[in-house]
Each structure stands twice: as C-alpha cells, then as structure tokens.
Amino acid sequence: MRDLTAYIQRRYHAIHLNRLFVATRLARRVELEFAAHPACPQGFSHHLNALAEDIEIHQAKERDEVFPSLVYGLRSSQKFPVLRMMIEHDGFAEELDSLSAMTRGYTVPDDANTDWNLLCAT
C-alpha cells in the first residue's frame, strides 16, 4: 500500500497541479488577448486558480490523513476522511463539467491562437 500511495502522489498529485498552473497561465493570456471575442471563456483563469487551490488542500489531506490510514490500517474512526475525499472528488468532477461548459466542450474558434488551442488541449 505504501508503494501505491507514493505512486499516486508522484503520478497524479504533482502532474495535476502542474497542469492546472500551466492552464491558468494560458487562460490569463487568452482572456487578455481575446477579451472582446464572443467565445472567450472570461473568468476561466479564476476558476482554474480556485480549483488548483482546492486540489492542493485536498491533496494535503490525502497525504496527511488518508494515505497514512491506508498504509497503517484503516480503523472505523478513520473512515470519515476517506468518505470526505470521495465527496470532494465528486465536487472536482462537477467543477470540470463547469469548465467544459465555459469553453463549449473545450472547443476553440477558428481564429484562436496557439495559447487558446493549448489551453483547451491541456
């Protein structure tokens, strides 16, 4: 179990945050350059930044509370943190749906630049 939790932290935690930070920078540039464009996802960078902050907190709880419980044995009193993480995962899925709606399914207009294309591909 220790190897699995280390793998999750290395393979998912670090990569998710890195992608969110890159996407936030791209979104800021797109919002500035295409502010007047009708398809510009205004507020997208704010949503991405808030999501990154929430995910950082979530990952810290996993690292500090849930993963040690899994490694050293889950007691009935430790089930609540696991359930809380599952609920938070559902909330993140809802936020991703909201982000998808803001970008019309992560589609870009024909006149989009490289940043906008990269943003929707990230």
Side-chain angles (χ1 to χ4, degrees):
M1 189 59 69
R2 185 182 313 264
D3 290 342
L4 176 60
T5 59
Y7 175 78
I8 290 169
Q9 289 178 347
R10 184 178 61 254
R11 174 62 179 93
Y12 296 101
H13 284 196
I15 291 173
H16 285 158
L17 285 178
N18 184 52
R19 284 189 175 181
L20 279 168
F21 293 136
V22 168
T24 301
R25 284 193 304 271
L26 289 168
R28 285 186 185 125
R29 291 198 303 242
V30 168
E31 289 169 345
L32 287 172
E33 185 170 341
F34 291 93
H37 196 289
C40 181
Q42 291 295 335
F44 197 70
S45 63
H46 173 74
H47 283 276
L48 287 171
N49 191 57
L51 180 61
E53 290 174 3
D54 290 344
I55 286 179
E56 273 187 301
I57 293 167
H58 173 84
Q59 289 178 350
K61 287 186 275 188
E62 284 183 335
R63 181 190 64 241
D64 298 338
E65 298 173 27
V66 176
F67 291 170
S69 296
L70 296 173
V71 170
Y72 298 110
L74 186 65
R75 296 185 191 95
S76 61
S77 64
Q78 296 167 316
K79 289 184 181 177
F80 176 73
V82 173
L83 293 173
R84 183 179 60 203
M85 295 298 103
M86 293 170 68
I87 291 168
E88 288 181 11
H89 281 213
D90 292 342
F92 294 138
E94 290 174 10
E95 182 62 24
L96 292 174
D97 289 342
S98 173
L99 293 172
S100 177
M102 290 180 76
T103 59
R104 299 176 342 270
Y106 300 104
T107 58
V108 295
D110 293 335
D111 56 343
N113 67 359
T114 302
D115 287 340
W116 200 339
N117 279 286
L118 285 171
L119 172 63
C120 288
T122 300

